[in-house]
Amino acid sequence: MTQKYTKVRGMHDILPLEISKWQFVERVLTDTAKFYGYKEIRTPLVESRSLFERSIGSDTDIISKEIYAFKDRKGRDIALRPEGTASVVRAFIESGMSVEKKVFRFYYYGPMFRYDRPQKGRYRQFYQFGVELIGSNHPFFDGEVVAMLHTIAEKLKLNGYKFLVNTLGCSNCKTKYSDIIKDYFSGRKNNLCNDCIKRIINSPLRILDCKNPGCKQSISNAPLIGNILCNDCLYHFQKFQEYLKVNNVPYKVDPYLVRGLDYYTRTVFELYVEGDENAIAAGGRYDNLINQLGGPDIPAVGFAIGMERLISLVEYNTPSEPLIYFACIGEEAKIKGTKIINELRKEGITAETDYKEESLRSHLKTANRAGANWCIIIGEDEIKREEFIFKDMLSGKQITIPFNNYIKRIKELLKC
Ligand code: HAM
């Protein structure tokens, strides 16, 4: 028996029936990014494994459990990108752009890979649309990227969405808070899950993100970062919120919001719709990452949208594409028909036929199955009279059109 192939676990196909919805959403995202002044950047799907370890953090789930990594033929450690920020920063430094003192806005789109546990909204290959704004630590830029996500949510008519926002503080505040959280949970190990017990040593802040009911109980009384923030961090967080208020962005401060990637400092945020526990998009500020990856000391902020999650929430009716089907009966008609079909295609009109069909009846059946709006019929008689029949498939009405000047006539009939 021949082997039946199926998708690799965690992967998914995007079939022709769904593609126009994807293309619609992609257009909204790229148009919005352009209106906000972003330029597209495309980076490879593979990078050095160490780029992700250094940026996302070796103790994070993404690196310790989910990275797709392998050695290439020369023994180099390679990884499929689990996210886009590290690659954009790498390209930014490597290309020399980082020497220019200005604000850069990049957007990117493509597949990411994480060996996650597959379930609704969680895949091992998934698409992200992301933006990175590099070159300023002004809190209004944090507001601007969130406002851009808000514009996208409005344009796509998402229902009941809101942003959760928080600050992790600058690297000093973050370290101080991390130590406080470490002390707090060290005395409450009995209530924590095994993963969180391990996190106490290397990534205590990640405990705040745990969904385990026992951990959640302890988290609800954990010390708040707001009490230890330095004045600059407090000011930054206030100004960021001022921007959101002025621009009517629906948000709520979640004082325990942390992110699963180590590079964040200060602002972090996630976009949710009511009743869904998966974030549709998430991001934040990463003021030290460019420097950490060998570049100059340049601050940055950005986000990424999970496309599968976003698309599952968008309502979209696929518009039917106008189609002309050709029923060519006989060899001569087939030759004449192919010429007309190709002329119409050059004019931007969608036309197709099935060369195998011989009778008018079977042609009409095929035209119906293809969802054709019109059928052009050419048989021996039509060849003799140098004209073809143009049939409206819905009303059944038909007219004849001479072989000369048919493009103009068809365009009139199709109103294009
Ligand atoms: P992230 O939170 O890891 O952030 O991912 C962003 C979004 O990607 C998530 O909110 C979610 O919608 C989607 N996503 C993540 N994992 C999966 C998965 N396994 N299946 C389907 N969708 C998924 C980042 O990736 C950061 N690079 C965002 C960023 C950009 N921060 C600053 N700039």
Coordinates of all heavy atoms in Angstrom, one line a residue, residues 117-180:
R117 N 2.9 23.3 22.1 CA 1.9 22.2 22.1 C 0.8 22.6 21.2 O 0.1 23.6 21.6 CB 1.5 21.9 23.6 CG 0.7 20.6 23.8 CD 0.8 20.2 25.2 NE 0.4 21.2 26.1 CZ -0.8 21.5 26.5 NH1 -1.8 20.7 26.0 NH2 -1.1 22.4 27.3
P118 N 0.5 21.9 20.1 CA -0.5 22.4 19.2 C -1.9 22.3 19.8 O -2.2 21.3 20.5 CB -0.4 21.4 18.0 CG 0.9 20.7 18.1 CD 1.2 20.7 19.6
Q119 N -2.6 23.4 19.6 CA -4.0 23.5 20.1 C -4.6 24.7 19.4 O -3.9 25.3 18.6 CB -4.1 23.6 21.6 CG -3.2 24.7 22.1 CD -3.1 24.7 23.6 OE1 -4.0 25.1 24.3 NE2 -2.0 24.4 24.1
K120 N -5.9 25.0 19.6 CA -6.5 26.1 18.9 C -5.7 27.4 19.1 O -5.3 27.7 20.2 CB -7.9 26.3 19.5 CG -8.7 27.3 18.7 CD -10.1 27.4 19.3 CE -10.9 28.6 18.7 NZ -10.5 29.9 19.3
G121 N -5.3 28.0 18.0 CA -4.6 29.2 18.0 C -3.1 29.1 18.3 O -2.4 30.0 18.6
R122 N -2.6 27.8 18.4 CA -1.2 27.6 18.7 C -0.7 26.5 17.7 O -1.2 25.4 17.7 CB -1.2 27.0 20.1 CG 0.1 27.3 20.9 CD -0.1 26.9 22.3 NE -0.6 28.1 23.1 CZ 0.1 29.1 23.6 NH1 1.4 29.1 23.3 NH2 -0.4 30.0 24.3
Y123 N 0.3 27.0 16.9 CA 0.8 26.1 15.9 C 2.3 26.0 16.0 O 2.9 26.8 16.8 CB 0.5 26.7 14.5 CG -1.0 26.8 14.3 CD1 -1.7 28.0 14.5 CD2 -1.7 25.7 13.8 CE1 -3.0 28.1 14.3 CE2 -3.1 25.8 13.6 CZ -3.7 27.0 13.9 OH -5.1 27.1 13.7
R124 N 2.9 25.1 15.3 CA 4.4 25.1 15.3 C 5.0 25.9 14.2 O 6.1 26.4 14.3 CB 4.8 23.6 15.2 CG 4.5 22.9 16.5 CD 4.9 21.5 16.6 NE 4.6 21.0 17.9 CZ 4.7 19.7 18.3 NH1 5.0 18.8 17.4 NH2 4.4 19.3 19.5
Q125 N 4.2 26.1 13.1 CA 4.6 27.1 12.1 C 3.4 28.1 12.1 O 2.2 27.6 11.9 CB 4.8 26.6 10.7 CG 5.1 27.8 9.8 CD 5.3 27.4 8.3 OE1 5.9 26.4 8.0 NE2 4.7 28.2 7.4
F126 N 3.6 29.3 12.4 CA 2.5 30.3 12.4 C 3.1 31.6 11.8 O 4.3 31.8 11.7 CB 2.0 30.6 13.8 CG 3.1 31.0 14.8 CD1 3.3 32.4 15.0 CD2 4.0 30.1 15.4 CE1 4.3 32.8 15.9 CE2 5.0 30.5 16.2 CZ 5.2 31.9 16.5
Y127 N 2.2 32.4 11.3 CA 2.6 33.7 10.7 C 2.5 34.8 11.7 O 1.6 34.9 12.5 CB 1.7 34.0 9.5 CG 2.0 33.1 8.3 CD1 1.6 31.8 8.3 CD2 2.7 33.6 7.2 CE1 1.9 31.0 7.2 CE2 3.0 32.8 6.1 CZ 2.6 31.5 6.1 OH 2.9 30.7 5.0
Q128 N 3.5 35.7 11.6 CA 3.5 37.0 12.3 C 3.6 38.1 11.4 O 4.3 38.1 10.4 CB 4.7 37.0 13.3 CG 4.4 36.3 14.6 CD 5.6 36.7 15.6 OE1 6.6 37.2 15.3 NE2 5.4 36.2 16.9
F129 N 2.8 39.2 11.8 CA 3.1 40.5 11.1 C 3.6 41.4 12.3 O 2.9 41.5 13.3 CB 1.7 41.1 10.6 CG 1.9 42.4 10.0 CD1 2.2 42.6 8.7 CD2 1.8 43.6 10.8 CE1 2.4 43.9 8.2 CE2 2.0 44.9 10.3 CZ 2.3 45.0 9.0
G130 N 4.8 41.9 12.1 CA 5.4 42.7 13.2 C 5.9 44.0 12.7 O 6.1 44.3 11.5
V131 N 6.0 44.9 13.7 CA 6.7 46.2 13.4 C 7.8 46.5 14.5 O 7.6 46.0 15.6 CB 5.7 47.4 13.4 CG1 4.5 47.2 12.5 CG2 5.2 47.8 14.8
E132 N 8.8 47.2 14.1 CA 9.9 47.6 15.0 C 10.2 49.0 14.8 O 10.4 49.4 13.6 CB 11.1 46.7 14.9 CG 10.9 45.2 14.8 CD 10.4 44.6 16.1 OE1 10.3 45.2 17.1 OE2 10.0 43.4 16.0
L133 N 10.0 49.8 15.8 CA 10.4 51.3 15.7 C 11.7 51.5 16.5 O 11.7 51.3 17.7 CB 9.2 52.1 16.3 CG 9.3 53.6 16.1 CD1 7.9 54.2 16.0 CD2 10.1 54.3 17.2
I134 N 12.7 51.8 15.8 CA 14.1 51.8 16.4 C 14.6 53.2 16.4 O 14.6 53.9 15.3 CB 15.0 50.9 15.6 CG1 14.5 49.5 15.6 CG2 16.4 50.9 16.2 CD1 15.3 48.4 14.9
G135 N 15.1 53.7 17.5 CA 15.8 55.0 17.5 C 15.3 56.0 18.5 O 15.9 57.1 18.5
S136 N 14.4 55.7 19.3 CA 13.9 56.7 20.3 C 13.3 56.0 21.6 O 12.7 54.9 21.4 CB 12.9 57.6 19.7 OG 12.4 58.5 20.8
N137 N 13.6 56.6 22.7 CA 12.9 56.0 23.9 C 11.8 56.9 24.4 O 11.3 56.7 25.5 CB 14.0 55.9 25.1 CG 14.6 57.2 25.5 OD1 14.1 58.3 25.0 ND2 15.5 57.2 26.4
H138 N 11.3 57.8 23.5 CA 10.2 58.7 23.9 C 8.9 57.8 24.2 O 8.5 57.0 23.3 CB 9.9 59.7 22.9 CG 9.1 60.9 23.4 ND1 7.7 60.7 23.7 CD2 9.4 62.1 23.8 CE1 7.3 61.8 24.2 NE2 8.3 62.7 24.3
P139 N 8.2 58.0 25.3 CA 7.0 57.1 25.6 C 5.9 57.3 24.6 O 5.1 56.4 24.4 CB 6.6 57.6 27.0 CG 7.3 58.9 27.2 CD 8.5 58.9 26.4
F140 N 5.9 58.4 23.9 CA 4.8 58.6 22.8 C 5.0 57.6 21.7 O 4.0 57.2 21.0 CB 4.8 60.0 22.3 CG 4.0 61.0 23.2 CD1 3.5 60.5 24.4 CD2 3.8 62.3 22.8 CE1 2.9 61.4 25.3 CE2 3.1 63.2 23.6 CZ 2.6 62.7 24.9
F141 N 6.2 57.1 21.5 CA 6.4 56.1 20.4 C 5.8 54.8 20.9 O 5.3 54.0 20.1 CB 7.9 55.9 20.1 CG 8.4 57.0 19.2 CD1 9.4 57.8 19.6 CD2 7.8 57.3 17.9 CE1 9.9 58.9 18.8 CE2 8.3 58.3 17.1 CZ 9.3 59.1 17.5
D142 N 5.9 54.5 22.2 CA 5.2 53.3 22.7 C 3.7 53.4 22.5 O 3.0 52.4 22.1 CB 5.5 53.1 24.2 CG 6.9 53.2 24.6 OD1 7.7 54.0 24.0 OD2 7.3 52.5 25.5
G143 N 3.2 54.6 22.7 CA 1.8 54.9 22.5 C 1.5 54.7 21.0 O 0.4 54.2 20.7
E144 N 2.4 55.2 20.2 CA 2.1 55.2 18.7 C 2.0 53.8 18.2 O 1.1 53.4 17.4 CB 3.2 55.9 18.0 CG 2.8 56.1 16.5 CD 4.0 56.7 15.7 OE1 4.2 57.9 15.9 OE2 4.6 56.0 15.0
V145 N 2.8 52.9 18.7 CA 2.8 51.5 18.1 C 1.5 50.8 18.7 O 0.8 50.0 17.9 CB 4.0 50.6 18.4 CG1 5.2 51.1 17.7 CG2 4.3 50.4 19.9
V146 N 1.1 51.1 19.9 CA -0.2 50.5 20.4 C -1.4 51.1 19.6 O -2.3 50.4 19.3 CB -0.3 50.7 21.9 CG1 -1.7 50.2 22.4 CG2 0.8 50.0 22.7
A147 N -1.3 52.4 19.4 CA -2.4 53.1 18.6 C -2.5 52.5 17.2 O -3.6 52.4 16.7 CB -2.1 54.6 18.6
M148 N -1.4 52.1 16.7 CA -1.4 51.5 15.3 C -2.1 50.1 15.4 O -3.0 49.8 14.5 CB 0.0 51.3 14.8 CG 0.1 50.7 13.5 SD 1.8 50.6 13.0 CE 1.7 49.3 11.8
L149 N -1.9 49.4 16.4 CA -2.6 48.1 16.6 C -4.1 48.4 16.8 O -4.9 47.6 16.3 CB -2.1 47.4 17.9 CG -1.1 46.2 17.7 CD1 -0.8 45.7 19.1 CD2 -1.8 45.1 16.9
H150 N -4.4 49.4 17.5 CA -5.8 49.8 17.7 C -6.4 50.2 16.4 O -7.6 49.7 16.1 CB -5.8 51.0 18.7 CG -7.1 51.7 18.9 ND1 -8.2 51.0 19.3 CD2 -7.5 53.0 18.7 CE1 -9.2 51.8 19.4 NE2 -8.8 53.0 19.0
T151 N -5.7 50.9 15.5 CA -6.3 51.2 14.2 C -6.5 50.0 13.4 O -7.6 49.8 12.7 CB -5.2 52.1 13.4 OG1 -4.9 53.2 14.2 CG2 -5.8 52.5 12.1
I152 N -5.6 49.0 13.5 CA -5.8 47.7 12.8 C -7.0 47.0 13.3 O -7.9 46.5 12.5 CB -4.5 46.8 13.0 CG1 -3.4 47.4 12.2 CG2 -4.8 45.4 12.5 CD1 -2.0 46.8 12.4
A153 N -7.2 47.0 14.6 CA -8.3 46.3 15.2 C -9.6 46.9 14.8 O -10.6 46.3 14.5 CB -8.2 46.3 16.7
E154 N -9.6 48.3 14.7 CA -10.8 49.0 14.2 C -11.1 48.7 12.8 O -12.2 48.5 12.4 CB -10.6 50.5 14.4 CG -10.9 51.0 15.8 CD -11.0 52.5 15.9 OE1 -10.2 53.2 15.2 OE2 -11.8 53.0 16.7
K155 N -10.1 48.8 11.9 CA -10.3 48.6 10.5 C -10.8 47.2 10.2 O -11.6 47.0 9.3 CB -8.9 48.7 9.8 CG -8.5 50.2 9.5 CD -7.4 50.2 8.5 CE -6.9 51.6 8.3 NZ -5.7 51.6 7.5
L156 N -10.4 46.2 11.1 CA -10.8 44.8 10.9 C -12.1 44.5 11.6 O -12.6 43.4 11.7 CB -9.7 43.8 11.2 CG -8.5 43.9 10.3 CD1 -7.4 43.0 10.9 CD2 -8.8 43.5 8.9
K157 N -12.6 45.5 12.3 CA -13.9 45.4 13.0 C -13.9 44.3 14.1 O -14.8 43.5 14.2 CB -15.1 45.3 12.1 CG -15.2 46.4 11.1 CD -16.5 46.2 10.3 CE -16.9 47.4 9.5 NZ -16.0 47.8 8.4
L158 N -12.8 44.2 14.8 CA -12.7 43.2 15.9 C -13.7 43.6 17.0 O -13.8 44.8 17.3 CB -11.3 43.1 16.5 CG -10.2 42.6 15.7 CD1 -9.0 42.3 16.5 CD2 -10.6 41.4 14.9
N159 N -14.4 42.6 17.6 CA -15.3 42.9 18.7 C -14.7 42.8 20.0 O -13.9 41.9 20.3 CB -16.5 42.0 18.6 CG -17.4 42.4 17.5 OD1 -17.6 43.5 17.2 ND2 -18.0 41.4 16.8
G160 N -15.0 43.7 21.0 CA -14.7 43.5 22.4 C -13.2 43.3 22.6 O -12.8 42.5 23.4
Y161 N -12.4 44.1 22.0 CA -10.9 44.0 22.3 C -10.4 45.0 23.3 O -11.0 46.1 23.4 CB -10.1 44.1 20.9 CG -10.2 45.4 20.3 CD1 -9.3 46.4 20.6 CD2 -11.2 45.7 19.3 CE1 -9.3 47.6 20.0 CE2 -11.2 46.9 18.7 CZ -10.3 47.9 19.0 OH -10.4 49.1 18.5
K162 N -9.3 44.6 23.9 CA -8.7 45.6 24.8 C -7.2 45.3 24.9 O -6.8 44.2 24.7 CB -9.4 45.7 26.2 CG -9.2 44.4 27.0 CD -9.6 44.8 28.5 CE -9.4 43.6 29.4 NZ -10.3 42.5 29.3
F163 N -6.5 46.3 25.3 CA -5.0 46.1 25.5 C -4.8 46.0 27.0 O -5.3 46.8 27.8 CB -4.3 47.4 25.0 CG -4.3 47.5 23.5 CD1 -5.4 48.2 22.9 CD2 -3.4 46.8 22.7 CE1 -5.4 48.3 21.5 CE2 -3.5 46.9 21.4 CZ -4.5 47.6 20.7
L164 N -3.9 45.1 27.4 CA -3.4 45.0 28.8 C -2.0 45.6 28.7 O -1.2 45.3 27.7 CB -3.3 43.6 29.2 CG -4.6 42.8 29.4 CD1 -4.4 41.4 29.9 CD2 -5.6 43.6 30.3
V165 N -1.7 46.5 29.6 CA -0.4 47.2 29.5 C 0.3 47.1 30.9 O -0.4 47.0 31.9 CB -0.5 48.6 29.0 CG1 -1.2 48.8 27.7 CG2 -1.1 49.5 30.1
N166 N 1.6 47.2 30.9 CA 2.4 47.2 32.1 C 3.8 47.8 31.8 O 4.1 48.0 30.7 CB 2.5 45.8 32.7 CG 3.0 45.8 34.1 OD1 2.9 46.8 34.8 ND2 3.5 44.7 34.6
T167 N 4.5 48.1 32.9 CA 5.9 48.4 32.7 C 6.8 47.4 33.5 O 6.4 47.0 34.6 CB 6.2 49.9 33.1 OG1 7.6 50.1 32.9 CG2 5.8 50.2 34.6
L168 N 7.9 47.1 32.9 CA 8.8 46.2 33.6 C 10.0 47.0 34.2 O 10.9 46.5 34.8 CB 9.4 45.1 32.7 CG 8.4 44.2 32.1 CD1 9.1 43.3 31.1 CD2 7.7 43.4 33.1
G169 N 10.0 48.3 33.9 CA 11.0 49.2 34.4 C 12.3 49.1 33.5 O 12.4 48.2 32.7
C170 N 13.2 50.0 33.7 CA 14.5 50.0 33.0 C 15.3 48.8 33.6 O 14.8 48.1 34.5 CB 15.3 51.3 33.3 SG 15.6 51.6 35.0
S171 N 16.5 48.6 33.1 CA 17.2 47.3 33.5 C 17.5 47.4 35.0 O 17.4 46.3 35.7 CB 18.5 47.1 32.7 OG 19.2 48.2 32.6
N172 N 17.7 48.6 35.6 CA 17.9 48.6 37.1 C 16.6 48.2 37.8 O 16.7 47.4 38.7 CB 18.3 50.0 37.5 CG 19.7 50.3 37.2 OD1 20.5 49.4 36.9 ND2 20.1 51.6 37.1
C173 N 15.5 48.9 37.4 CA 14.2 48.6 38.1 C 13.9 47.1 37.9 O 13.4 46.5 38.9 CB 13.1 49.5 37.6 SG 13.3 51.2 38.0
K174 N 14.1 46.6 36.7 CA 13.7 45.2 36.4 C 14.5 44.2 37.3 O 14.0 43.3 37.9 CB 14.0 44.9 34.9 CG 13.3 43.7 34.4 CD 13.5 43.6 32.9 CE 13.2 42.2 32.4 NZ 13.5 42.1 30.9
T175 N 15.8 44.5 37.5 CA 16.7 43.6 38.3 C 16.2 43.7 39.7 O 16.1 42.7 40.4 CB 18.1 44.1 38.2 OG1 18.5 44.2 36.8 CG2 19.1 43.1 38.9
K176 N 15.9 44.9 40.2 CA 15.5 45.1 41.6 C 14.2 44.4 41.8 O 14.0 43.6 42.8 CB 15.3 46.6 41.8 CG 15.4 47.1 43.2 CD 15.6 48.6 43.2 CE 14.9 49.3 44.3 NZ 14.8 50.7 44.2
Y177 N 13.2 44.5 40.9 CA 11.9 43.9 41.0 C 12.1 42.4 41.0 O 11.4 41.6 41.7 CB 11.0 44.4 39.9 CG 9.6 43.9 40.0 CD1 8.8 44.0 41.2 CD2 8.9 43.3 38.9 CE1 7.5 43.5 41.3 CE2 7.6 42.8 39.0 CZ 6.9 42.9 40.2 OH 5.6 42.5 40.3
S178 N 12.9 41.9 40.1 CA 13.2 40.5 39.9 C 13.7 39.9 41.3 O 13.2 38.8 41.7 CB 14.3 40.3 38.9 OG 14.1 39.2 38.1
D179 N 14.6 40.6 41.9 CA 15.1 40.1 43.2 C 14.0 40.1 44.3 O 13.9 39.1 45.1 CB 16.2 41.0 43.7 CG 17.5 40.9 42.9 OD1 17.5 39.8 42.2 OD2 18.4 41.8 42.9
I180 N 13.1 41.1 44.3 CA 12.0 41.1 45.2 C 11.0 39.9 45.0 O 10.6 39.2 45.9 CB 11.2 42.5 45.1 CG1 12.1 43.6 45.6 CG2 9.9 42.4 45.9 CD1 11.5 45.0 45.3

